[in-house]
Amino acid sequence: CDLYPGAYRISAQNPDTNSPAPDYGVTEITITDQDLRGVRVMAVPGKPLEGEVAWDNDPPATPITNKVSVSLAPLFRTAFANERGGARAEIPGTFTLDGVFPDDYAVRAFINAPGVYVKDVTFSGRSVLYEPLRSATAMSGAGMRVIVAHDGATLNVQVNDKDGNPGADLRVLVIPADLVSEGAMAARLVQGQTNQAGQYTSQTLPPGKYYVVATEETVEPTPESIGRLWRSRNQIGRAHV
């Protein structure tokens, strides 16, 4: 195929018109200075992935009836029909994600309850909350574990201009202060918009220090946009949650 030297992903699928998803497989190859022969890609049906939701410590005194929403999003392709759903589970509780292929996924886990947030998600003993879930590399029978905590809080922001007038319809960025890379910033950045009174209330955030900035610009999840924000973070005011 006249490929340049480097790392590549090869995927294969066998569509079945009677199934919501095809057989699918992917493998990684490395091209050097010679032809590569004998490459094999195993296309297989998606399999269910079992998971559980648990409290980080003791449960809150007041029972939480809200459920945790969990889903997977393929990182390098468009989702098949049966991958566009997800699962909801009680705390504590179990769930099943259907049709998971040996591939790389982004994990999406969320709960809407005061003071409650998803603290971590692990798969095969490894955190995947802000890292790819690589289902092909896990041991057989490995499951997902969603860890939920109830010591979070919201951040109430008032935005005014230099004359004290409310900053309406401005973008508010909430950035954890302990980030170590631009990739982590892209994964953990929280964005919102002020109302006509210049006020914004964040989603529930874990305890910690945060940078807060109000801007007229929309920060897109592109390397250029995140890079500019990363370089200017030390000029942004901090907030404690």
Side-chain angles (χ1 to χ4, degrees):
C1 298
D2 295 328
L3 298 175
Y4 290 102
Y8 295 84
R9 287 169 51 94
I10 297 180
S11 62
Q13 65 184 63
N14 180 24
D16 182 352
T17 56
N18 297 319
S19 174
D23 291 350
Y24 178 82
V26 63
T27 190
E28 295 184 358
I29 64 171
T30 300
I31 300 295
T32 55
D33 58 351
Q34 58 184 342
D35 291 344
L36 192 62
R37 304 181 184 279
V39 177
R40 301 185 66 185
V41 183
M42 299 295 295
V44 297
K47 296 182 179 180
L49 174 61
E50 306 292 335
E52 66 168 336
V53 178
W55 289 110
D56 180 44
N57 288 305
D58 294 332
T62 303
I64 300 295
T65 58
N66 306 60
K67 294 184 178 181
V68 177
S69 298
V70 185
S71 62
L72 298 178
L75 287 175
F76 301 108
R77 59 176 172 83
T78 303
F80 299 128
N82 68 335
E83 292 178 304
R84 295 175 186 146
R88 302 183 68 207
E90 297 179 345
I91 319 170
T94 60
F95 62 90
T96 301
L97 297 174
D98 294 321
V100 177
F101 295 94
D103 204 354
D104 290 359
Y105 293 89
V107 178
R108 297 171 179 169
F110 178 75
I111 180 172
N112 184 16
V116 181
Y117 63 97
V118 174
K119 185 174 183 178
D120 199 6
V121 180
T122 62
F123 177 69
S124 193
R126 172 178 168 270
S127 178
V128 292
L129 182 59
Y130 302 115
E131 299 291 337
L133 185 153
R134 305 183 188 278
S135 57
T137 62
M139 296 184 300
S140 177
M144 184 187 300
R145 191 165 192 263
V146 180
I147 303 168
V148 181
H150 55 85
D151 59 347
T154 56
L155 185 64
N156 297 315
V157 180
Q158 174 66 53
V159 180
N160 297 321
D161 63 18
K162 62 180 181 179
D163 298 321
N165 300 313
D169 299 324
L170 293 178
R171 181 71 57 179
V172 176
L173 311 177
V174 182
I175 311 164
D178 61 350
L179 298 177
V180 296
S181 69
E182 295 179 26
M185 174 179 283
R188 298 176 60 187
L189 176 66
V190 176
Q191 296 195 56
Q193 190 171 6
T194 59
N195 58 20
Q196 293 302 305
Q199 299 171 344
Y200 163 74
T201 300
S202 73
Q203 64 191 52
T204 300
L205 302 171
K209 296 179 180 180
Y210 294 84
Y211 296 105
V212 181
V213 62
T215 177
E216 295 179 344
E217 299 180 5
T218 299
V219 177
E220 301 292 345
T222 62
E224 295 78 12
S225 183
I226 295 298
R228 288 194 300 269
L229 186 60
W230 174 260
R231 291 187 293 272
S232 63
R233 69 192 185 283
N234 291 330
Q235 303 173 12
I236 302 172
R238 289 192 181 188
H240 296 258
V241 173

